Amino acid sequence: MIFSFDIFDTCLVRKCGEAKYVFDILAEKAFKHPCSSEHKRAFVAARMEAEKNTWSESQTLKEIYSAFDYSHVDILPKEKLMECEEEVEREMLCPVNSVVERISFLRKQGHRILFISDMYLSYDFLLKVLQENGVWKAGDTLYVSSNIGATKYTGELYKYIQKKENISFKKWYHYGDNEYSDVKIPSKFGIHAQHISHTYTPYQLKMMQKHVTETYNDFITLVSTERNLSKTFVDSIAQGRVWSGSNA
């Protein structure tokens, strides 16, 4: 039998919580000099939009940044931004001990271990972070959508691996956090799929609350300026809520 594991939010989690908060941290490094929160928000929006617009089964980080459209006198070159993004990912990633222990147990029983990821980051980068976090061992195999040009999401990556490994779907066990890509899709092929979920750590919750607080503060500051109202008054009306456009 073969046992495969998703990587992000299964074997490895981000200390900052959700993936989108990586871009908030990246925005702090993206400019040569300190800049306003408005510019940082614009940077994050542009980065996320570039990822959305370049999606494909073979999407790479380089393709995302080739479509990245944000101009600012102090913005770092795209090559440097890609390096910074990988640096932030490495700094934020940490292993899930319970999953690492499960993988170690399966290895001791003589089972093959595969790591599978729908990810624009490169094969070499993912291999390195698996090694650095004590998840990878000699004899394991890694399959990455950006390298192969097929994803779990469409099911093509599962079919590719089945042929590559010459295994029966019924003798394959897969673990992952995404209920669609890691459970529903592989189950259609007859793979024994198991959903894995983790609760956020206090640090992750703190980081996410920080993001929410900063977004709200930026909102009431903007509204108070545009409407010529005091921040205290705007806060009394908003009461923690954020509106967009003319509704604000």
Side-chain angles (χ1 to χ4, degrees), residues 93-155:
L93 289 170
C94 62
V96 178
N97 291 332
S98 60
V99 176
V100 175
E101 290 171 359
R102 182 181 303 184
I103 293 172
S104 179
F105 174 76
L106 291 170
R107 285 197 195 97
K108 290 177 181 178
Q109 289 189 318
H111 298 299
R112 284 277 318 284
I113 301 297
L114 312 180
F115 295 101
I116 308 175
S117 184
D118 283 356
M119 177 48 77
Y120 47 78
L121 293 169
S122 71
Y123 174 98
D124 290 339
F125 177 82
L126 293 187
L127 176 60
K128 190 169 186 177
V129 294
L130 287 172
Q131 292 171 332
E132 290 175 343
N133 285 280
V135 182
W136 178 273
K137 297 294 182 183
D140 296 342
T141 304
L142 172 62
Y143 292 98
V144 186
S145 61
S146 62
N147 181 59
I148 296 169
T151 63
K152 293 181 297 177
Y153 181 81
T154 63

Side-chain angles (χ1 to χ4, degrees), residues 13-18 21 92 198-214:
V13 293
R14 296 177 176 92
K15 299 171 188 174
C16 59
E18 296 180 33
Y21 297 126
M92 288 294 106
H198 311 295
T199 56
Y200 288 120
T201 66
Y203 178 82
Q204 290 173 316
L205 292 172
K206 182 179 180 180
M207 288 288 290
M208 287 186 281
Q209 183 57 51
K210 178 176 179 289
H211 175 77
V212 171
T213 300
E214 289 177 348

Side-chain angles (χ1 to χ4, degrees), residues 56-243:
S56 72
E57 294 205 76
S58 59
Q59 185 183 48
T60 65
L61 189 62
K62 186 174 182 179
E63 289 173 346
I64 291 173
Y65 275 96
S66 68
F68 177 72
D69 185 20
Y70 179 71
S71 298
H72 188 283
V73 64
D74 278 337
I75 196 75
L76 294 174
K78 290 184 178 181
E79 287 293 331
K80 186 62 178 177
L81 287 174
M82 288 191 284
E83 292 177 9
C84 285
E85 182 165 335
E86 290 184 338
E87 178 184 327
V88 172
E89 285 282 14
R90 287 182 65 189
E91 290 174 352
M92 288 294 106
L93 289 170
C94 62
V96 178
N97 291 332
S98 60
V99 176
V100 175
E101 290 171 359
R102 182 181 303 184
I103 293 172
S104 179
F105 174 76
L106 291 170
R107 285 197 195 97
K108 290 177 181 178
Q109 289 189 318
H111 298 299
R112 284 277 318 284
I113 301 297
L114 312 180
F115 295 101
I116 308 175
S117 184
D118 283 356
M119 177 48 77
Y120 47 78
L121 293 169
S122 71
Y123 174 98
D124 290 339
F125 177 82
L126 293 187
L127 176 60
K128 190 169 186 177
V129 294
L130 287 172
Q131 292 171 332
E132 290 175 343
N133 285 280
V135 182
W136 178 273
K137 297 294 182 183
D140 296 342
T141 304
L142 172 62
Y143 292 98
V144 186
S145 61
S146 62
N147 181 59
I148 296 169
T151 63
K152 293 181 297 177
Y153 181 81
T154 63
E156 292 303 312
L157 187 52
Y158 291 112
K159 291 192 284 186
Y160 174 89
I161 294 171
Q162 187 270 332
K163 292 180 180 178
K164 188 75 174 179
E165 297 285 339
N166 191 28
I167 58 174
S168 166
F169 286 128
K170 293 183 178 180
K171 293 184 178 181
W172 181 353
Y173 292 77
H174 179 71
Y175 299 82
D177 73 293
N178 191 294
E179 294 185 3
Y180 184 80
S181 298
D182 292 311
V183 180
K184 185 175 181 179
I185 293 299
S187 294
K188 287 183 178 181
F189 295 119
I191 297 172
H192 304 277
Q194 182 172 330
H195 183 249
I196 289 182
S197 62
H198 311 295
T199 56
Y200 288 120
T201 66
Y203 178 82
Q204 290 173 316
L205 292 172
K206 182 179 180 180
M207 288 288 290
M208 287 186 281
Q209 183 57 51
K210 178 176 179 289
H211 175 77
V212 171
T213 300
E214 289 177 348
T215 299
Y216 179 69
N217 287 338
D218 288 342
F219 168 73
I220 62 174
T221 298
L222 178 62
V223 174
S224 66
T225 300
E226 295 296 325
R227 302 284 188 177
N228 196 27
L229 301 168
S230 71
K231 290 177 66 175
T232 301
F233 178 75
V234 175
D235 182 39
S236 70
I237 300 298
Q239 297 182 353
R241 295 167 294 182
V242 174
W243 291 281

